[in-house]
Amino acid sequence: MRLVIARCSVDYTGRLNAHLPLATRLLVHKGDGSLLVHSDGGSYKPLNWMSPPCSLSSEDPGEEEASAGVVEVWRVTHKKTGDALRVQIYEIIHDSSHELGIDPGLQKDGVEADLQRLLAEQVDRISEGATLVRREYPTAIGPVDLLVRDADGAAIAVEIKRRGDIDGVEQLTRYLELLGRDPHLSPVQGVFAAQEIKPQARVLAEDRGIRCLVLDYDDMKGIESGIPRLF
């Protein structure tokens, strides 16, 4: 992982266009190729980012850029969509690289672990006639919660959260990219399952062809939740 603190401006072009004016920011270039642009606020969420599969190249600034003080230009391009993140660097304040090794993955809390176990026992909720292949199916960047096959034998990767947000969708997207390289699994469908799915996460998931599944924990345990239902 490479960490760069720099005075920079950032432009995103693709399905949407966005601009970050000149300011001091943290640029995180991960081993999976992704680039995240952080400010000193906003908690863990980047101001802008490019998810894998993508590639980063460094370019010399043009004459007009150089005269304005730009010393280096990064271009990060998504290999499938062609979306591009262009970073104009005016000054590098800090630049370091670190080998983090293999991460053991997130340890689920009690409710999330129970949701995984219950859904593994009730895979018909994912797809009628589905069968479980494995819980915690391994990938190079960590295990996906469930891998199942539908009634026709198609592979489905399922990521389970208590509260589904954009980070969970991004996590499942990375798993799908890796699993899709396996000819025994490809093409792999994605299901994002949670007790509550935020609207922004649902929009992003559906845009990427990922199906959303809302889980009723009490119902899965065989306990009536007390909430009125239409059917």
Side-chain angles (χ1 to χ4, degrees), residues 5-16:
I5 298 175
R7 293 180 61 248
C8 62
S9 62
V10 183
D11 289 281
Y12 192 106
T13 56
R15 289 171 293 180
L16 55 84

Side-chain angles (χ1 to χ4, degrees), residues 22-194:
L22 179 62
T24 301
R25 300 186 176 93
L26 169 64
L27 307 175
V28 181
H29 185 217
K30 292 187 174 183
D32 61 7
S34 61
L35 180 73
L36 296 88
V37 182
H38 283 276
S39 68
D40 201 20
S43 185
Y44 63 91
K45 292 186 178 180
L47 298 170
N48 215 326
W49 67 93
M50 182 67 74
S51 301
C54 59
S55 60
L56 184 151
S57 61
S58 179
E59 308 171 356
D60 292 329
E63 289 185 12
E64 187 174 336
E65 291 175 317
S67 64
V70 178
V71 297
E72 187 177 355
V73 176
W74 291 3
R75 180 181 293 276
V76 186
T77 306
H78 197 277
K79 294 180 179 179
K80 290 186 177 180
T81 66
D83 289 10
L85 195 66
R86 194 170 188 272
V87 183
Q88 294 177 306
I89 298 176
Y90 290 76
E91 178 188 6
I92 293 179
I93 301 168
H94 171 85
D95 189 348
S96 62
S97 296
H98 308 270
E99 179 58 53
L100 302 186
I102 298 175
D103 192 276
L106 181 68
Q107 300 298 313
K108 309 292 185 179
D109 66 22
V111 173
E112 204 165 294
D114 285 344
L115 283 171
Q116 184 192 108
R117 175 182 56 80
L118 290 167
L119 193 55
E121 296 169 354
Q122 303 171 33
V123 290
D124 272 354
R125 291 178 183 267
I126 301 168
S127 177
E128 187 174 353
T131 56
L132 177 67
V133 175
R134 179 173 170 175
R135 292 174 59 183
E136 301 287 338
Y137 190 89
T139 77
I141 58 172
V144 65
D145 288 327
L146 299 180
L147 185 70
V148 306
R149 289 192 181 273
D150 67 14
D152 296 322
I156 305 174
V158 185
E159 183 62 24
I160 302 168
K161 302 291 183 186
R162 289 181 62 190
R163 295 180 179 87
D165 57 19
I166 285 177
D167 285 352
V169 177
E170 294 286 3
Q171 182 181 1
L172 178 54
T173 299
R174 294 192 291 271
Y175 289 147
L176 291 172
E177 168 64 24
L178 289 171
L179 293 171
R181 299 176 189 175
D182 186 339
H184 299 292
L185 298 175
S186 181
V188 184
Q189 303 171 42
V191 171
F192 188 52

